[in-house]
Amino acid sequence: MELDGRTFELHVGAGGDPSPARPLVLAFHGGSADGTAMRKLTNLDARADREGWVVAYPNGVEGHWNDGRGVENYPAHRDDVDDIGFVDRLVEHLAEAAGVDRRRVYATGFSNGGMFVHRLAMTRPDLLAAVAPVAGTIARPLLEPGPAAAVPVFMIHGTADRMVPYEGGPVG
């Protein structure tokens, strides 16, 4: 699917809550990947079918999200792509088109997608009910001034991660 020149995959779960307003899970892929890869990695569609969720798998610009690190190699960073604005428009679109409950919007992401989820939670806490980044830390530039408001976070990160070090430092 396409919105404002950006693409995403969408799955509307078959079962679960019969009310018209359904929860939305935004699932952000890792660097150099896409929504299709995230869809396969997570198998969220099966859970969405059982629970009645809507799941969106947005695509980053040339496989990356503007997570706040400012990595010059990635156009999303170098060109300061407005991924936050894209997510705002996507949630608004899905609230109207897919019956999403704006009070039950959740985000998860893997690696670069997880880092972007931290940025999203810190800059748009009013948009999210909770987040669950996986193997993605908070970009140092986002630590000051800190989050605008609290958002519940369930963070998953392995201590032996060689790409995104558990204790911080350069990302491989």
Side-chain angles (χ1 to χ4, degrees), residues 25-51:
V25 174
L26 300 164
F28 299 95
H29 61 76
S32 300
D34 61 16
T36 300
M38 187 65 172
R39 192 175 203 165
K40 289 177 185 174
L41 177 70
T42 63
N43 196 30
L44 287 171
D45 290 1
R47 184 69 184 257
D49 283 338
R50 286 193 304 275
E51 305 291 334

Side-chain angles (χ1 to χ4, degrees), residues 120-129 147-151:
L120 188 60
M122 292 181 80
T123 59
R124 287 304 314 276
D126 56 309
L127 185 70
L128 302 166
V151 173

Side-chain angles (χ1 to χ4, degrees), residues 51-118:
E51 305 291 334
W53 305 341
V54 174
V55 185
Y57 304 90
N59 290 306
V61 172
E62 294 188 27
H64 292 92
W65 299 101
N66 186 357
D67 58 27
R69 290 180 292 153
V71 178
E72 284 296 315
N73 298 6
Y74 308 145
H77 293 216
R78 184 181 59 243
D79 301 337
D80 197 23
V81 171
D82 186 10
D83 285 328
I84 302 293
F86 169 61
V87 172
D88 282 339
R89 292 186 301 278
L90 180 60
V91 170
E92 182 64 31
H93 170 74
L94 294 176
E96 294 174 15
V100 164
D101 182 347
R102 293 177 58 76
R103 295 167 301 165
R104 295 189 293 167
V105 176
Y106 305 90
T108 188
F110 177 72
S111 192
N112 172 230
M115 293 175 196
F116 176 65
V117 165
H118 283 293

